[in-house]
């Protein structure tokens, strides 16, 4: 169990909790941990959590035998390299490393944030844990909601960097460490993506490079699984995972494909494409039909009751039948194609780099090749891309924050009060200013910082526990794959018709052509709208009450205007926002009932 404390009295909080669970707390100096260290080497004692994997350098430099446990070789690396030994790990992990000679403890979160880690001050020190629930059960007093975090979450599903929905409870950012010592506590970055020049190559060479890196990531994600499965849609990314399983020898009866069918929802149902991909990759398929009478609200409320945070998505009700069937079939690992849209996407900010370098003709050419503009974009379309991706990206961040605040304040549909909108804008400071050109910085942020702000690591860990299945996200959390894709020449990803063109070329012949050449995406918004309508009395009607908890946080007149829109006339673009408002109200109500 990922749990720990620094400080004598803070450790007593763990000991009291351990008495209820009949577990033993291991104390070393000011550090308290549930159990002895995984390794002791020299002056170091170390605990490893999650599912760490070794980079090549760890085995090459510090393994005595090929089959040596990772903890043993990592112990050697820790003794020789100190905390920098974590750079030889990849995957989902948290390392708690205590250097007894220096009286210092470092709690280090993995580079991409696959493993969640939260911390808060308590008594004379710090307590840290995997989930909000774990900390809430330790603390002697209740936590109140964080106003700005809640408002930002309602607006776009993100929370400010390093914050959670609870005031005073912090999220350790990905690639950072919590440094604990006698003189104080501070957070610092231990890892960052570093810009490297793009590696040129022909279209075939680039496609081969992406295919090899993707399939290697899928092999790493499936390592050790006896019965893996891929959650298959009709899209490119999950088809890539299915093809990777087949290429790595899992299409021998071990691996399965599972997908959902949505009869009655033409814009959502991808059954025929799912069948085609499963057949092409030789994976046995289980297709689970969606029950239109299933409740969208029930699993969300259960999530709040169990985890004491609202779920990150309204789609839990769509996938629970699929994971239930996976358990019946003996699946021990569910893979998906999450993250592919961002990882393999074009970087429109390359236009800004060209403008900044005075290469106007190159910028104009790129504006006509941004994916989605079509084969013959007119002048108006090109000018729009120049303004949005080029000139807009050159505006200083401080100016963009001010403009964001003004836009939020003046929008007639915004439920955020002007003072709160301005305070939120001031919080929108980049987590880290990456080195390199603007296009690379934008891609690097999208595959590191943004995912962490969405708390995807926490969401996947919670749903994995609820589903009783391990989860793997090879396109989301595989560092070698990300490093490879970030070295693809950015112009190769520009195509006026096709999105993710290099990945599409990489999968030629390996997935159905109908999937490879399909450039539109299905979406679940119609099902979410239908779910909201079905839950109107439980989710929306409570918002109309004058004592609804959410009204203490939002502009009430703007909320009432939203509620005045008839259920059948609600815009599709506002479906997720309406759901988050309703579910935030349920979360606040649950907290009030518990005295929090």
């Amino acid at each position: 169990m990922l749990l720990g404390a620094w400080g004598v009295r803070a450790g007593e909080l763990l000991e009291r909790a351990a008495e209820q669970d009949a577990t033993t707390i291991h104390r070393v100096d000011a550090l308290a941990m549930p159990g002895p260290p995984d390794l002791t080497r020299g002056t170091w004692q170390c605990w490893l959590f999650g599912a760490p994997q070794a980079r090549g350098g760890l085995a090459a430099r510090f393994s005595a035998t090929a089959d040596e446990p990772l903890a043993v070789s990592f112990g050697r690396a820790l003794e020789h390299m100190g905390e920098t030994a974590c750079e030889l790990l990849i995957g989902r992990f948290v390392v708690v490393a205590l250097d007894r000679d220096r009286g210092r403890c470092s709690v280090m979160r993995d580079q991409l944030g696959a493993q969640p880690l939260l911390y808060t001050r308590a008594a004379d020190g710090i307590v840290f844990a995997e989930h909000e629930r774990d900390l809430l059960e330790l603390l002697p007093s209740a936590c109140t909601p964080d106003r700005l975090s809640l408002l930002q979450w309602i607006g776009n599903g993100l929370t400010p960097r390093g914050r959670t929905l609870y005031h005073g409870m912090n999220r350790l950012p990905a690639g950072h460490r919590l440094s604990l010592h006698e003189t104080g506590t501070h957070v610092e970055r231990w890892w960052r993506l570093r810009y490297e020049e793009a590696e040129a190559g022909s279209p075939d060479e680039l496609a081969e490079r992406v295919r090899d890196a993707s399939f290697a990531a899928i092999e790493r994600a499936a390592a050790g699984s006896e019965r893996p499965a891929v959650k298959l849609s009709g899209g490119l990314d999950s088809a890539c995972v299915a093809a990777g399983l087949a290429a790595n020898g899992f299409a021998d009866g071990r691996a399965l494909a599972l997908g959902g069918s949505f009869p009655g929802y033409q814009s959502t149902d991808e059954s025929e494409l799912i069948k085609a991909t499963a057949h092409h990759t030789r994976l046995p398929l289980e297709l689970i039909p969606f029950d239109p009478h299933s409740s969208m609200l029930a699993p969300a409320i259960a999530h709040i009751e169990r985890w004491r945070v609202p779920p990150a998505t309204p789609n839990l009700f769509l996938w629970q039948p699929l994971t239930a069937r996976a358990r019946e079939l003996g699946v021990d690992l569910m893979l998906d194609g999450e993250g592919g849209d961002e990882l393999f996407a074009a970087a429109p900010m390359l236009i800004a780099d060209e403008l900044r370098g005075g290469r106007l003709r190159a910028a104009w050419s790129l504006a006509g090749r941004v994916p989605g503009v079509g084969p013959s974009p007119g002048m108006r379309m090109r000018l729009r891309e120049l303004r949005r991706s080029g000139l807009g990206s050159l505006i200083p961040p401080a100016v963009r924050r001010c403009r964001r605040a003004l836009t939020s304040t003046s929008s007639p549909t915004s439920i955020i009060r002007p003072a709160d909108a301005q305070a939120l804008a001031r919080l929108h400071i980049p987590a880290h200013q990456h080195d390199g050109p603007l296009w690379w910085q934008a891609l690097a942020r999208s595959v590191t910082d943004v995912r962490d702000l969405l708390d995807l690591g926490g969401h996947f860990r919670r749903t994995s526990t609820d589903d009783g299945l391990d989860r793997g996200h090879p396109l989301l959390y595989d560092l070698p794959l990300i490093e490879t894709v970030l070295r693809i020449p950015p112009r190769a990803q520009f195509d006026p018709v096709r999105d993710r063109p290099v990945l599409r070329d990489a999968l030629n012949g390996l997935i159905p052509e109908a999937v490879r050449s399909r450039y539109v995406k299905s979406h679940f918004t119609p099902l979410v709208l239908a779910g909201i309508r079905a839950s109107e009395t439980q989710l929306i009607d409570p918002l109309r009450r004058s004592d609804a908890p959410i009204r203490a946080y939002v502009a009430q007149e703007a909320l009432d205007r939203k509620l005045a829109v008839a259920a059948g006339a609600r815009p599709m673009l506002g479906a997720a926002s309406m759901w988050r408002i309703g579910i935030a109200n349920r979360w606040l109500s649950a907290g009030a009932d518990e005295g929090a």
Side-chain angles (χ1 to χ4, degrees):
M1 182 179 185
L2 177 44
L3 198 65
W6 180 261
V8 175
R9 287 188 292 137
E12 292 172 358
L13 297 176
L14 262 66
E15 291 176 337
R16 283 198 289 270
E19 290 174 1
Q20 300 177 4
D21 299 330
T23 57
T24 302
I25 296 298
H26 184 85
R27 301 200 68 151
V28 188
D29 303 329
L31 179 66
M33 298 292 295
D38 295 298
L39 63 98
T40 299
R41 190 84 182 184
T43 65
W44 291 94
Q45 291 194 343
C46 183
W47 291 257
L48 292 170
F49 297 95
Q53 295 178 315
R55 293 203 82 155
L58 181 60
R61 296 172 57 187
F62 298 105
S63 289
T65 60
D67 58 350
E68 190 172 64
L70 180 141
V72 176
S73 53
F74 182 71
R76 293 196 189 99
L78 190 65
E79 186 177 23
H80 284 80
M81 301 173 60
E83 296 165 356
T84 59
C86 285
E87 295 178 4
L88 300 178
L89 298 178
I90 56 174
R92 175 177 63 83
F93 65 85
V94 160
V95 172
V96 180
L98 175 67
D99 184 347
R100 299 197 67 182
D101 267 3
R102 298 169 62 193
R104 167 178 164 168
C105 179
S106 289
V107 183
M108 291 172 280
R109 190 178 177 207
D110 67 74
Q111 299 95 324
L112 302 175
Q115 174 62 53
L117 185 73
L118 309 170
Y119 67 96
T120 189
R121 296 192 178 276
D124 61 342
I126 294 286
V127 291
F128 54 89
E130 183 173 19
H131 299 295
E132 288 90 341
R133 175 191 66 182
D134 303 329
L135 290 181
L136 291 170
E137 292 174 352
L138 281 177
L139 297 176
S141 59
C143 284
T144 57
D146 184 307
R147 180 184 187 85
L148 293 182
S149 294
L150 179 60
L151 289 173
Q152 182 164 312
W153 185 84
I154 289 172
N156 55 20
L158 283 69
T159 52
R161 178 175 177 265
R163 293 165 73 156
T164 70
L165 293 178
Y166 287 98
H167 180 71
M169 188 181 294
N170 304 295
R171 178 174 295 110
L172 185 67
H176 282 67
R177 66 173 158 236
L178 187 62
S179 183
L180 308 168
H181 44 83
E182 291 181 359
T183 59
T185 300
H186 63 277
V187 173
E188 57 191 7
R189 182 180 286 274
W190 70 267
W191 173 88
R192 67 189 68 209
L193 271 175
R194 300 187 185 279
Y195 172 69
E196 295 183 32
E197 291 284 345
E199 297 178 356
S202 68
D204 287 345
E205 290 171 336
L206 298 179
E208 181 180 6
R209 197 182 304 162
V210 166
R211 179 174 59 251
D212 290 348
S214 299
F215 287 4
I218 294 161
E219 183 178 29
R220 281 188 289 271
S225 172
E226 297 292 332
R227 187 67 160 164
V230 55
K231 188 171 76 173
L232 200 58
S233 70
L236 183 69
D237 301 322
S238 65
C240 175
V241 176
L245 285 173
N248 286 304
F250 284 93
D252 58 358
R254 283 180 293 167
L256 299 173
L258 292 100
S261 65
F262 301 92
Y265 293 91
Q266 185 175 358
S267 64
T268 301
D269 190 70
E270 299 178 327
S271 301
E272 295 306 314
L273 294 171
I274 291 172
K275 292 175 184 177
T277 298
H279 176 75
H280 198 102
T281 56
R282 309 185 312 281
L283 297 179
L285 172 66
E286 285 280 332
L287 203 59
I288 294 89
F290 169 67
D291 179 1
H293 302 294
S294 61
S295 168
M296 181 180 75
L297 190 57
I301 292 176
H303 188 282
I304 291 173
E305 291 175 348
R306 179 170 189 178
W307 298 106
R308 299 176 72 174
V309 290
T313 171
N315 294 345
L316 296 179
F317 75 118
L318 299 177
W319 302 119
Q320 283 187 343
L322 186 147
T323 52
R325 180 58 179 150
R327 288 195 302 272
E328 294 173 358
L329 295 169
V331 170
D332 59 4
L333 171 70
M334 183 72 77
L335 301 175
D336 60 41
E338 293 283 350
D341 282 348
E342 297 80 19
L343 178 59
F344 300 110
M349 285 182 70
L350 181 60
I351 297 173
D353 285 311
E354 301 289 22
L355 289 176
R356 189 165 63 172
R359 297 178 290 272
L360 303 184
R361 181 173 296 181
W364 180 256
S365 174
L366 285 172
R369 295 177 53 216
V370 174
V373 299
S376 301
M379 181 175 290
R380 178 176 296 179
M381 181 72 74
R382 287 177 182 246
L383 288 173
R384 188 192 71 176
E385 291 300 331
L386 279 175
R387 182 174 61 252
R388 182 173 61 182
S389 302
L391 296 174
S393 300
L394 295 175
I395 298 174
V399 176
R400 289 203 297 271
R401 290 198 297 271
C402 290
R403 187 169 66 179
R404 187 183 298 117
L406 291 172
T407 301
S408 299
T409 302
S410 60
S411 172
T413 60
S414 174
I415 63 170
I416 300 178
R417 296 166 181 163
D420 289 327
Q422 293 168 8
L424 279 172
R426 288 192 292 270
L427 288 177
H428 284 206
I429 301 172
H432 166 62
Q433 190 64 37
H434 293 279
D435 300 325
L438 294 175
W439 71 265
W440 189 91
Q441 293 182 38
L443 277 184
R445 282 194 296 270
S446 72
V447 298
T448 54
D449 300 338
V450 174
R451 296 170 179 185
D452 204 27
L453 297 178
L454 286 166
D455 187 29
L456 291 186
H459 167 70
F460 289 133
R461 289 292 295 152
R462 292 190 294 270
T463 55
S464 175
T465 301
D466 286 341
D467 295 337
L469 283 176
D470 283 339
R471 288 180 176 269
H473 314 281
L475 308 185
L476 189 69
Y477 288 130
D478 191 274
L479 182 56
L481 171 61
I482 288 173
E483 291 171 337
T484 297
V485 173
L486 286 175
R487 291 195 297 271
I488 296 295
R491 283 177 177 77
Q493 304 283 26
F494 278 71
D495 187 301
V497 176
R498 304 186 303 164
D499 64 323
R500 294 162 286 169
V502 178
L503 180 63
R504 293 184 188 278
D505 292 343
L507 296 176
N508 187 21
L510 299 175
I511 63 174
E513 189 61 22
V515 175
R516 195 178 77 90
S517 61
R518 179 174 178 252
Y519 311 130
V520 297
K521 290 182 70 69
S522 299
H523 53 84
F524 294 103
T525 305
L527 282 84
V528 173
L529 282 172
I532 292 175
R533 287 196 294 270
S535 306
E536 190 83 12
T537 57
Q538 298 169 286
L539 186 68
I540 304 301
D541 285 352
L543 298 172
R544 307 180 197 278
R545 295 171 53 98
S546 60
D547 59 349
I550 196 67
R551 289 184 173 270
Y553 294 82
V554 303
Q556 299 197 32
E557 299 82 0
L559 176 60
D560 289 334
R561 285 195 296 269
K562 278 184 175 289
L563 296 174
V565 178
R570 290 186 187 129
M572 293 184 67
L573 287 176
S577 175
M578 181 60 75
W579 176 82
R580 284 194 294 267
I581 294 170
I583 210 68
N585 192 61
R586 294 297 299 243
W587 174 68
L588 290 169
S589 298
D593 291 342
E594 295 177 4

